[in-house]
Amino acid sequence: MKTGIIGLGKMGGALLRGMLKAGAAVPEEVWVYDHHHENMQALREEYPGVHEAASEAEAADAVEVLILAVKPHGILPLISSLSERGAELPLLISIAAAVSLDDMEACASDGTRIIRAMPNTPCMVLAGVIAYSTGNGVKDEDEEAARMLLSGCGSVYKVAESGMNAVSAISGCGPAYMFTALDALADAGVAMGLSRKNRFGTGCGNHAGGFPDAGTDREASHGAPG
């Protein structure tokens, strides 16, 4: 499946590495574009078969699925500029935080299929959580393709569009809270005479062991609906 990525920052680069390592895409069928040429050059050195597109439009014209990994303020102008050319667009997957499907579809040409996804920072070590919602016209095969590409970076969950901002707050920001808690545990251990290395290791083990069935459909202890 011919796949493109516009925007090769940390998250765009992570998604590319994830899909290639998982075998969801092969380098010879991947087109990338970034305003910063050095980002493209670094990834092409890592994966020599990847194609470097000369523009956003060239990347869009070459592929069946196009991941938009640009900053949130750039997503609507990008979709508008791609749509204004009059060419049919591939399936678009946006990872821009806080930009709704309604807003993206309003900028897109009629019939454009858009999926909104929210990855989190652990995707950079291929252990993330990615939620997504689907726009109008997205077909089952589109959704299957998106799940296959995104799953290279971690677990993938479908949620209603109305829940995407909550996902951004919990899944997107949650790792930072966990890291802060682990750092505080390590500081406490050091204050009580332990080495920081040992205390940090036991803190990580406590977190991992405390959630042995994380990611399952087990009902939460507070009784809230799943």
Side-chain angles (χ1 to χ4, degrees):
M1 176 172 53
K2 294 180 180 179
T3 305
I5 299 182
I6 296 176
L8 291 173
K10 291 183 179 179
M11 195 58 69
L15 291 173
L16 175 60
R17 292 181 179 91
M19 69 177 71
L20 290 174
K21 288 182 178 180
V26 295
E28 292 75 19
E29 293 190 347
V30 172
W31 278 257
V32 297
Y33 179 78
D34 194 290
H35 289 297
H36 301 286
H37 179 76
E38 61 272 17
N39 289 344
M40 291 194 288
Q41 186 63 32
L43 283 167
R44 289 190 67 228
E45 289 174 0
E46 189 174 352
Y47 299 101
V50 170
H51 303 277
E52 181 178 337
S55 65
E56 294 100 332
E58 182 177 296
D61 290 341
V63 301
E64 301 161 88
V65 180
L66 183 62
I67 297 174
L68 307 180
V70 300
K71 299 292 186 183
H73 70 268
I75 191 70
L76 298 183
L78 174 58
I79 293 174
S80 293
S81 67
L82 292 174
S83 298
E84 287 169 357
R85 301 176 306 120
E88 181 179 352
L89 293 180
L91 171 66
L92 302 181
I93 302 175
S94 166
I95 66 167
V99 182
S100 70
L101 284 170
D102 284 345
D103 286 343
M104 289 187 281
E105 288 175 343
C107 292
S109 52
D110 291 343
T112 301
R113 298 155 295 143
I114 304 177
I115 290 176
R116 176 185 176 187
M118 186 67 244
N120 62 2
T121 52
C123 287
M124 289 186 280
V125 292
L126 310 184
V129 173
I130 305 172
Y132 73 94
S133 57
T134 56
N136 295 319
V138 173
K139 303 173 184 177
D140 289 345
E141 54 264 36
D142 296 329
E143 192 172 341
E144 183 179 349
R147 290 185 66 95
M148 180 177 67
L149 292 172
L150 296 173
S151 64
C153 282
S155 303
V156 179
Y157 299 91
K158 183 177 183 179
V159 303
E161 165 69 2
S162 60
M164 286 297 288
N165 286 340
V167 167
S168 298
I170 296 172
S171 175
C173 300
Y177 288 100
M178 296 300 102
F179 299 152
T180 299
L182 285 170
D183 198 46
L185 286 172
D187 286 343
V190 169
M192 292 186 286
L194 296 175
S195 73
R196 189 171 183 83
K197 179 179 179 181
N198 286 340
R199 187 54 216 142
F200 192 76
T202 56
C204 290
N206 288 339
H207 276 65
F211 302 98
D213 53 357
T216 70
D217 293 329
R218 177 180 65 87
E219 182 179 356
S221 59
H222 49 64

